[in-house]
């Protein structure tokens, strides 16, 4: 009888262990949003530039080269044209005070002396002069070596009318304490500069942010852009990225062309 009870206790112990393992495995799946660093790495490049800045064309060219060399990689480039150089004689047609404010948010978050152009910020956590090829290469390498906390399991862009675009997304992972950003970009624009520091130059800028919408993330959601002005057919895209509210680190991104 003693042997039988001992055997029964052993069987119960094995059952408890197996049940516990099953529940643990279940928790890994159902509580995936609580796991840090489980998704494929991404790198989001944010260039703050201006057509009125004589130092910016070299950074614009570096960004363009990076875009073309990053096809097939999870590298997402955004070109924000700030407005504070418009006083130098050329009003950048793509400039926006909201983009200058975004840059100043990074100035505060990264604890640097002040805003300047050209400036690049990678994944919201490292900044440097926008024409610094080595710094960009190093930053991209570091970003693509670190798995992210979120991932877009679905991203759909619908152009319902000529001047109306609707973006639908599905999100998974740990997105608590974050914001989700939707950037409507022109893939390429060429401008003849008639005044200012770059007078006489013809500049080509890529992935120019035309509108930026920020909202709280959900497991699934959508945002609608009324496009004005309307980028040419085949010359627009949506870049969507998740950013922590504290520290502004970017932890997930995706892109879809329109």
């Amino acid at each position: 009888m003693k042997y039988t009870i001992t055997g029964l206790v052993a069987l119960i112990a094995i059952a408890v262990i197996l049940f516990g393992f099953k529940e643990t495995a279940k928790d890994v799946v159902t509580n995936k949003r609580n796991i840090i660093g489980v998704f494929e790495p991404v790198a989001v490049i944010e260039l703050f530039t201006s057509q009125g800045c004589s130092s910016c064309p070299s950074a614009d060219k570096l960004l363009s080269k990076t875009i073309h060399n990053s096809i097939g990689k999870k590298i997402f480039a955004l070109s924000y044209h700030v407005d504070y150089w418009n006083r130098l004689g050329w009003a950048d047609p793509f400039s926006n005070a909201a983009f200058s404010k975004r840059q100043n948010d990074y100035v505060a978050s990264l604890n640097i002396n002040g805003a300047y152009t050209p400036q690049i910020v990678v994944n919201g956590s490292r900044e440097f002069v926008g024409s610094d090829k080595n710094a960009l290469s190093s930053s991209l390498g570091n970003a693509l070596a670190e798995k992210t906390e979120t991932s877009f399991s679905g991203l759909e862009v619908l152009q319902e009318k000529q001047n109306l675009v609707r973006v639908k997304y599905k999100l998974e992972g740990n997105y608590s304490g974050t914001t989700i950003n939707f950037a409507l970009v022109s893939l390429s624009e060429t401008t003849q500069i008639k005044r200012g520091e770059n007078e006489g130059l013809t500049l080509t800028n890529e992935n120019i942010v035309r509108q930026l919408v920020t909202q709280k993330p959900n497991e699934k959601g959508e945002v609608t852009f009324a496009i004005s002005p309307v980028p040419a057919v085949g010359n627009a895209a949506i870049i969507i990225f998740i950013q922590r509210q504290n520290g502004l680190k970017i932890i997930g991104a995706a892109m879809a062309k329109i």
Side-chain angles (χ1 to χ4, degrees), residues 2-53:
K2 182 177 181 181
Y3 176 81
T4 303
I5 292 175
T6 301
L8 180 60
V9 170
L11 289 174
I12 292 173
I14 292 171
V16 169
I17 291 171
L18 290 175
F19 179 78
F21 176 79
K22 181 178 179 182
E23 287 301 301
T24 300
K26 180 180 178 182
D27 289 343
V28 169
V29 176
T30 58
N31 296 329
K32 195 172 185 179
R33 68 180 54 182
N34 295 322
I35 300 175
I36 297 176
V38 298
F39 299 107
E40 187 177 356
V42 302
V44 176
I45 306 168
E46 296 179 89
L47 170 65
F48 294 92
T49 186
S50 171
Q51 291 181 348
C53 160

Side-chain angles (χ1 to χ4, degrees), residues 105-121:
D105 289 341
Y106 278 129
V107 168
S109 175
L110 298 173
N111 194 29
I112 58 179
N113 290 332
Y116 64 91
T117 56
Q119 181 189 35
I120 280 179
V121 180

Side-chain angles (χ1 to χ4, degrees), residues 89-104:
W90 176 254
D92 188 326
F94 307 113
S95 64
N96 192 317
F99 304 153
S100 299
K101 180 183 180 304
R102 180 169 180 81
Q103 185 181 26
N104 282 322

Side-chain angles (χ1 to χ4, degrees), residues 47 49 55-64 118-120 129-131:
L47 170 65
T49 186
S55 301
C56 288
S58 58
D60 298 329
K61 290 178 181 178
L62 177 59
L63 187 74
S64 295
Q119 181 189 35
I120 280 179
V129 175
S131 55

Side-chain angles (χ1 to χ4, degrees), residues 4-205:
T4 303
I5 292 175
T6 301
L8 180 60
V9 170
L11 289 174
I12 292 173
I14 292 171
V16 169
I17 291 171
L18 290 175
F19 179 78
F21 176 79
K22 181 178 179 182
E23 287 301 301
T24 300
K26 180 180 178 182
D27 289 343
V28 169
V29 176
T30 58
N31 296 329
K32 195 172 185 179
R33 68 180 54 182
N34 295 322
I35 300 175
I36 297 176
V38 298
F39 299 107
E40 187 177 356
V42 302
V44 176
I45 306 168
E46 296 179 89
L47 170 65
F48 294 92
T49 186
S50 171
Q51 291 181 348
C53 160
S54 61
S55 301
C56 288
S58 58
D60 298 329
K61 290 178 181 178
L62 177 59
L63 187 74
S64 295
K65 184 177 180 180
T66 303
I67 290 170
H68 291 283
N69 289 340
S70 301
I71 296 174
K73 301 177 183 178
K74 285 188 173 292
I75 296 176
F76 308 91
L78 298 160
S79 178
Y80 298 94
H81 289 230
V82 298
D83 69 338
Y84 50 81
W85 293 129
N86 289 351
R87 57 183 171 78
L88 296 181
W90 176 254
D92 188 326
F94 307 113
S95 64
N96 192 317
F99 304 153
S100 299
K101 180 183 180 304
R102 180 169 180 81
Q103 185 181 26
N104 282 322
D105 289 341
Y106 278 129
V107 168
S109 175
L110 298 173
N111 194 29
I112 58 179
N113 290 332
Y116 64 91
T117 56
Q119 181 189 35
I120 280 179
V121 180
V122 173
N123 276 3
S125 56
R126 184 180 179 187
E127 69 85 25
F128 47 89
V129 175
S131 55
D132 191 333
K133 180 179 179 181
N134 292 333
L136 178 57
S137 177
S138 173
S139 295
L140 291 179
N142 291 336
L144 294 176
E146 181 182 0
K147 290 188 176 180
T148 59
E149 299 177 39
T150 61
S151 180
F152 291 94
S153 57
L155 180 58
E156 184 179 10
V157 179
L158 305 171
Q159 188 159 2
E160 298 180 332
K161 297 178 182 179
Q162 185 177 2
N163 64 342
L164 190 68
V165 170
R166 185 157 58 103
V167 182
K168 302 174 69 176
Y169 72 90
K170 292 182 180 179
L171 181 65
E172 58 180 323
N174 179 20
Y175 51 83
S176 61
T178 66
T179 55
I180 185 169
N181 304 282
F182 304 82
L184 170 65
V185 304
S186 289
L187 296 177
S188 181
E189 300 285 352
T190 299
T191 310
Q192 293 182 344
I193 310 302
K194 299 179 180 180
R195 292 177 297 279
E197 291 189 350
N198 291 317
E199 182 179 1
L201 297 182
T202 299
L203 301 180
T204 297
N205 300 108

